[in-house]
Amino acid sequence: MAIQTQAKIPVLDFSNENLKPGTASWSSVREQVCRALEEHGYFVAELGNKVPLELHDTMFDAVRELFDFPTETKRKVIYEKPYHGYSSIANLHERMMIDNATSPEEIQRVTSIFWPDGNDHFRESADSYVRLMKELDQMVTRLLFENYGVEKYYDPHMDLTTRTLGFLKYKERDIDDDDQIKTGWSRIEGLPSHADKHFTSILHQNRVRGLEIKTKDGEWICFEPSPTSFIFLAAESLQVGLRQILMVFLN
């Protein structure tokens, strides 16, 4: 399983159904994951047939329908955490963040806000989608913990981990190239450059090339999305841990 590069983004193959701890393929991908996150802080996870095209299309169709609801309906999705639930920024960016998304009861609660009579298609698809992302996150985290000799902390870490499912809608921003360079705003996304604050993030796009990633050399690169490819990012908490580990190894 060789690492490929898509415009300087490592691409790792997670489509193998037999990718299990203790196998040769597991050891190989463990080395690749750690190298990619140490050197870049991100990689593309290619899941292949693990992501049915129907699931991808259903989720994005449902998200479009969800954002078409009246604002007063969307604002009923509320959580105590700042910027969770529904929020919007200057008519450029809408976001719906569902806390505790691995709980079928929570998915059902949010579903009932928009579809009081039920929407089994959305609920079941959201549950399947979240379960798929949870499995990917657990696998990558286990690979990291094993590689750095802290696997005994894997289970306690997972017990304390909560997951959020985010739906995001961006509108095109009318700025020129000079403004984009000065402000860090993307014309396509309408969102300033930023780093996530938590441990890991998994991003999945529709077919619009809206995501740009900044390399360690300061270059902004685009990602060519597909229904089966996901960007796996080391967020700030994990990046700090990786830097500390590397300092120990180098010293």
Side-chain angles (χ1 to χ4, degrees):
M1 185 191 305
I3 292 183
Q4 302 171 338
T5 300
Q6 176 182 277
K8 299 183 180 180
I9 302 178
V11 180
L12 278 61
D13 183 7
F14 284 81
S15 63
N16 185 356
E17 294 289 349
N18 296 317
L19 186 58
K20 306 293 183 182
T23 63
S25 57
W26 179 268
S27 299
S28 176
V29 77
R30 180 177 62 208
E31 178 183 347
Q32 295 167 22
V33 162
C34 295
R35 185 163 73 249
L37 293 181
E38 288 173 4
E39 296 180 0
H40 301 275
Y42 50 81
F43 60 83
V44 172
E46 174 56 53
L47 299 187
N49 292 332
K50 292 181 179 179
V51 187
L53 182 59
E54 180 184 3
L55 177 60
H56 171 274
D57 292 344
T58 297
M59 284 306 303
F60 280 101
D61 288 344
V63 169
R64 280 190 288 269
E65 183 178 354
L66 185 148
F67 281 118
D68 284 340
F69 274 85
T71 301
E72 56 266 28
T73 301
K74 292 180 283 191
R75 285 178 175 166
K76 292 179 181 178
V77 183
I78 301 173
Y79 296 96
E80 293 182 359
K81 295 180 181 179
Y83 303 109
H84 285 222
Y86 175 76
S87 61
S88 63
I89 300 177
N91 295 320
L92 292 172
H93 165 225
E94 289 185 272
R95 177 169 61 180
M96 182 74 68
M97 306 295 286
I98 302 175
D99 281 358
N100 195 24
T102 52
S103 166
E105 292 77 17
E106 183 59 21
I107 295 295
Q108 176 60 50
R109 185 188 75 83
V110 173
T111 301
S112 65
I113 291 175
F114 295 94
W115 297 279
D117 295 329
N119 185 332
D120 290 342
H121 199 45
F122 170 79
R123 178 183 55 78
E124 292 170 0
S125 296
D127 283 338
S128 297
Y129 189 86
V130 171
R131 186 165 57 251
L132 187 68
M133 295 301 96
K134 177 182 177 180
E135 290 173 356
L136 176 60
D137 180 62
Q138 287 178 325
M139 182 179 294
V140 173
T141 303
R142 182 182 291 275
L143 289 164
L144 287 169
F145 278 45
E146 283 185 6
N147 187 73
Y148 299 118
V150 291
E151 57 266 36
K152 67 179 181 180
Y153 299 112
Y154 171 78
D155 288 334
H157 173 77
M158 287 292 105
D159 290 341
L160 295 173
T161 297
T162 59
R163 292 179 173 83
T164 302
L165 175 63
F167 302 135
L168 300 103
K169 178 182 179 181
Y170 303 109
K171 297 182 181 180
E172 186 172 355
R173 185 175 171 83
D174 186 18
I175 60 174
D176 59 29
D177 291 337
D178 288 339
D179 285 337
Q180 182 173 346
I181 293 173
K182 292 176 183 177
T183 64
W185 285 86
S186 164
R187 178 186 291 107
I188 298 174
E189 295 184 57
L191 191 70
S193 57
H194 67 283
D196 291 341
K197 303 296 183 183
H198 35 269
F199 197 73
T200 59
S201 294
I202 302 174
L203 306 181
H204 192 198
Q205 297 185 101
N206 60 10
R207 293 175 176 84
V208 176
R209 296 177 65 201
L211 175 65
E212 293 181 347
I213 298 176
K214 189 176 182 180
T215 69
K216 60 184 179 182
D217 298 324
E219 177 184 1
W220 286 96
I221 54 179
C222 291
F223 164 62
E224 190 68 44
S226 80
T228 60
S229 58
F230 297 75
I231 289 283
F232 193 101
L233 297 170
E236 287 194 342
S237 296
L238 177 54
Q239 288 183 29
V240 169
L242 288 172
R243 285 195 295 267
Q244 292 176 337
I245 289 171
L246 289 175
M247 287 177 64
V248 171
F249 284 165
L250 291 175
N251 290 333

